[in-house]
Amino acid sequence: MASRKLLLGLTAGRRLRFRTQQLFWAANLPEATTSRSLAAAAAQQLGGSPAALLFSSRTISSTRPATQSAGDAPGPRLIMPEDEFHKLADGTIHDLLEKLEEYGDSIQMDGFDIDYGNQVLTLRLGDLGTYVVNKQAPNRQIWLSSPVSGPARFDWDTSSDGWIYKRTGANLLQLLEKEIGELCGTPVELS
């Protein structure tokens, strides 16, 4: 029994030293600099020991708001319920699929191919490039890879009732209409 207590004590001590090293390493990261002074102040209040620093840093770092932006735009954003996201994203992607199939039939372009599988919409325009549209449920976004404008992440905007790229303010459907229409030489109606 005594050896088991000793073993548990040694294991806990190793974990504490390892976690403390991780915290000091993480304290040098740019994102952690804002909470470093808070962690140090909390550790002083709790006695200044490494265990106090560990406890206070864990508590502070785990309070990151759930509404933080995914990186495209500064500031908070509310997280949409997952079932609502899937309904909106699936509806948008399926509408795109139908309209682009009709468009492809009407223009009779060599290399025009549209495919939908594993929740990824792929539009091949022969030598002109390939578009990929897919949904990212954890971020509640639709991602677009465009041969013209590159990658973009679109968030649902309730005020405009559409998928908007927050960096540029571009609407997903309008961007696709513009780019595909210019590449193919024939206007396309996706809205």
Side-chain angles (χ1 to χ4, degrees):
M1 186 68 158
S3 63
R4 187 173 186 171
K5 286 182 182 178
L6 177 63
L7 180 62
L8 290 174
L10 290 174
T11 304
R14 285 187 196 129
R15 283 190 201 138
L16 178 62
R17 281 193 300 277
F18 177 73
R19 181 67 179 140
T20 304
Q21 289 172 351
Q22 284 181 326
L23 287 174
F24 286 120
W25 175 79
N28 293 326
L29 297 174
E31 194 171 317
T33 56
T34 56
S35 64
R36 188 183 338 163
S37 59
L38 294 171
Q44 278 184 336
Q45 285 181 333
L46 295 173
S49 70
L53 179 61
L54 171 70
F55 176 75
S56 63
S57 296
R58 266 186 128 169
T59 304
I60 291 170
S61 67
S62 67
T63 59
R64 187 176 196 158
T67 60
Q68 186 162 348
S69 171
D72 278 352
R77 82 178 161 94
L78 299 176
I79 296 177
M80 175 189 309
E82 190 170 356
D83 59 335
E84 183 180 345
F85 164 76
H86 285 294
K87 180 180 172 186
L88 289 168
D90 288 339
T92 300
I93 292 173
H94 288 288
D95 286 348
L96 276 173
L97 176 64
E98 288 178 17
K99 290 177 181 178
L100 288 171
E101 283 177 337
E102 290 173 13
Y103 178 73
D105 292 339
S106 70
I107 64 169
Q108 298 298 320
M109 178 180 151
D110 287 339
F112 189 100
D113 182 44
I114 189 157
D115 182 46
Y116 181 71
N118 296 324
Q119 300 180 347
V120 177
L121 177 68
T122 306
L123 172 64
R124 291 177 191 82
L125 300 175
D127 295 337
L128 301 175
T130 300
Y131 285 86
V132 179
V133 179
N134 65 317
K135 61 183 188 175
Q136 294 291 320
N139 301 341
R140 309 297 196 265
Q141 294 175 327
I142 289 182
W143 287 9
L144 169 71
S145 175
S146 162
V148 177
S149 58
R153 300 172 181 179
F154 294 84
D155 294 284
W156 181 256
D157 182 52
T158 54
S159 63
S160 65
D161 203 31
W163 295 96
I164 304 296
Y165 185 32
K166 290 188 177 183
R167 285 189 181 174
T168 62
N171 178 294
L172 173 65
L173 299 179
Q174 292 171 358
L175 178 69
L176 286 171
E177 286 175 347
K178 178 180 179 276
E179 289 185 8
I180 295 170
E182 288 175 3
L183 284 174
C184 296
T186 305
V188 59
E189 180 68 36
L190 301 174
S191 304

